[in-house]
Amino acid sequence: MLISGVRIQRPFFAPSRCCLRIRCNFSTSSSPLQAPQHVDEDCTDFLPWLRQKAGEEISSVLSVGKSIHGRSLFACKPIHAGDCILKVPYRMQLAPDNLLPSISSLLGDDVTNVAKLALVILMHQKLGQASEWAPYISCLPPVSEMHSTLFWSDEELKMIKISSLYHETLKHKAQIEKDFSSIKHILEHFPEFFEEVTLDKFKHAYTLVESRGWISTRGVSMENTFQIPFADFLNHDGFSETDVLSDDFQQVSEVISDQNYAPGDEILIRYGKFSNARLLLDFGFILPCNKYDQVKVEVNLPEHDHLRSMKLDLLERHTTPVPKDDNALSLGNGFMVMKVKSSSGKGKGIPQSLRAFARVLCCTSSQELQELAMEARQNDGRLARVPFKNRAKELQAHQFLLSRFNHIIENYNAFIQSVISDSCSVSLGKDARRVEIAEDLLNGELRILKSASVWLKNYCETLKNKR
């Protein structure tokens, strides 16, 4: 997500606090540990190394294994809701401060924390087994296991061209190239660490940071990016309430379980309330039943509208700032629509701002616009947030939206049929898993659009019957 110019993955740390409900489950009892269902042989030495390097227990109830999600953490003892199941000291976390001072001193102010931490990863990759972080670095996924759209080929990206994710991917690729240019002199100045670093290798390290990092102020005023070994093996579940907390007093990051787990269960946390487009761009996967899924719908004022300037001015003056949405990709002229669960309800899922925009768009006189402006001043300052008293006008506004949604639905149906279906039958060098992901992404967005269309149709019918 983009916040203050820094792309943020995973949840924010919660503010430093004392969690009175915590029970530290770092038992030293002799009860046998249960291994995960699928042992990760590549990381068998990782936790003992981390424990030895930290000089203290990291977790006595978790172990590293493999699941359908890839590298994962499993319970090896019974866990109860409220248990502190993992603690990683700050000193055991990778941050931009891990860069050598000789490198940091040559970095400009335009170099982001993500780019700096990517340099840390690249430096330790180059050092190999000589690196003090080698056991952790060797556990990071290779490019072949990463399915973020940032790694998709041009042909693969065409499969999602109708989705706003396509342009978001291109935009972020351009940002990575810009960041690469800002550190290129470092690569040339320190060949002993970065001699063979190309744009592709930098993008890999950059994406490792974005997909596995957290941001926290940790008691200081400036946000920083951190990579937390072991905690970053936790996978995502949109229904989980488990988060990573920052405890400045103890100087640790910790995970508190939100539920009971039996030995052998995979431990899951929630990275954030993210749409499938966000999950795919940032982490390389989507969820089949994602209650936070969204689709971007673009609506613009026609160029030929003789009241266009007045409407734009009115929208600018009387539209309150959109609150930060961790889920939303950059909006531009778009509105983020979620699934409308009930066709007869209040249309929750269709933004009020989109319905307001349609009401403004359908005004045909300056007097109507002035009345909307007066109504906004008399209320909370937001424009056209209540239905028109004139039912014909209210119907016109929502018929416009219904027509717009139906047009987008037709385009989605045609696109999925012609592009995705062809990709399944014709070998064009596309990754089979990415073909499936693309189809699932678009079908999920299509379901959201259809749910909005059904509600709009029902609302229009209701208005007609009241006339």
Side-chain angles (χ1 to χ4, degrees), residues 267-287:
I267 311 299
L268 300 168
I269 66 172
R270 186 176 68 194
Y271 295 171
K273 298 178 180 180
F274 296 152
S275 68
N276 276 341
R278 271 292 314 279
L279 290 173
L280 186 51
L281 176 64
D282 293 345
F283 306 102
F285 67 87
I286 63 174
L287 300 176

Side-chain angles (χ1 to χ4, degrees), residues 144 146-147 151-153 155-157 159-160 280 284 286 419-441:
S144 60
M146 302 179 74
H147 291 280
F151 297 107
W152 288 24
S153 68
E155 286 298 321
E156 289 168 339
L157 279 177
M159 297 188 297
I160 59 168
L280 186 51
I286 63 174
V419 178
I420 302 299
S421 296
D422 289 347
S423 297
C424 293
S425 59
V426 180
S427 176
L428 295 173
K430 299 184 180 74
D431 183 288
R433 180 177 177 182
R434 292 174 184 176
V435 172
E436 183 179 354
I437 289 174
E439 187 171 4
D440 289 344
L441 171 77

Side-chain angles (χ1 to χ4, degrees), residues 272-432:
K273 298 178 180 180
F274 296 152
S275 68
N276 276 341
R278 271 292 314 279
L279 290 173
L280 186 51
L281 176 64
D282 293 345
F283 306 102
F285 67 87
I286 63 174
L287 300 176
C289 299
N290 186 355
K291 65 178 180 178
Y292 303 111
D293 206 7
Q294 299 181 338
V295 60
K296 181 179 177 181
V297 173
E298 293 193 3
V299 185
N300 295 289
L301 289 171
E303 293 288 341
H304 61 268
D305 190 335
H306 70 286
L307 294 172
R308 190 172 190 274
S309 296
M310 187 175 181
K311 290 176 180 179
L312 287 173
D313 179 65
L314 197 62
L315 288 165
E316 184 177 351
R317 285 189 291 113
H318 291 284
T319 301
T320 54
V322 178
K324 287 183 178 179
D325 181 0
D326 290 352
N327 191 17
L329 301 171
S330 58
L331 293 183
N333 294 322
F335 299 83
M336 301 308 295
V337 178
M338 299 185 73
K339 184 179 180 181
V340 183
K341 296 180 180 179
S342 172
S343 61
S344 59
K346 296 182 179 180
K348 185 178 180 181
I350 303 175
Q352 286 293 332
S353 56
L354 175 56
R355 298 173 67 185
F357 186 93
R359 293 182 181 117
V360 173
L361 185 146
C362 290
C363 288
T364 55
S365 70
S366 58
Q367 181 179 349
E368 288 177 331
L369 293 174
Q370 289 168 1
E371 289 173 355
L372 286 178
M374 182 179 298
E375 180 185 87
R377 288 194 295 268
Q378 291 173 349
N379 293 289
D380 62 0
R382 294 184 296 176
L383 195 66
R385 293 306 176 101
V386 296
F388 279 129
K389 294 177 182 178
N390 184 327
R391 285 197 189 126
K393 276 290 181 185
E394 181 74 356
L395 177 60
Q396 181 186 4
H398 286 78
Q399 283 179 330
F400 163 78
L401 287 180
L402 178 59
S403 175
R404 178 63 182 151
F405 272 85
N406 286 342
H407 177 69
I408 297 173
I409 288 169
E410 288 177 8
N411 288 342
Y412 261 75
N413 279 324
F415 187 89
I416 292 171
Q417 183 65 33
S418 64
V419 178
I420 302 299
S421 296
D422 289 347
S423 297
C424 293
S425 59
V426 180
S427 176
L428 295 173
K430 299 184 180 74
D431 183 288

Side-chain angles (χ1 to χ4, degrees), residues 218-238:
R218 291 189 178 173
V220 298
S221 59
M222 186 176 295
E223 290 179 343
N224 209 344
T225 307
F226 301 90
Q227 204 142 331
I228 309 175
F230 197 56
D232 63 357
F233 294 165
L234 289 161
N235 289 310
H236 171 76
D237 174 16

Side-chain angles (χ1 to χ4, degrees), residues 19 25 35 47 63 85-86 97 113 153 165 172 222-223 229 239 257 269 313 328 364 367 401 432 434-435 446 454 465:
C19 298
N25 202 7
L47 189 54
S63 56
I85 58 175
L86 179 158
D97 293 342
N113 282 330
S153 68
L165 176 57
H172 195 50
M222 186 176 295
E223 290 179 343
F239 294 94
S257 177
I269 66 172
D313 179 65
T364 55
Q367 181 179 349
L401 287 180
R434 292 174 184 176
V435 172
L446 182 59
V454 169
N465 294 333

Side-chain angles (χ1 to χ4, degrees), residues 71 109 125-126 148 195 198 209 211 230 234 242 261 296 341 355 358 396-397 406 419 438 446 458:
R71 185 158 289 126
D109 294 337
Q125 285 178 335
K126 177 66 173 178
S148 163
E195 183 179 13
T198 62
V209 174
S211 63
F230 197 56
L234 289 161
T242 300
Y261 289 97
K296 181 179 177 181
K341 296 180 180 179
R355 298 173 67 185
Q396 181 186 4
N406 286 342
V419 178
L446 182 59
N458 186 68

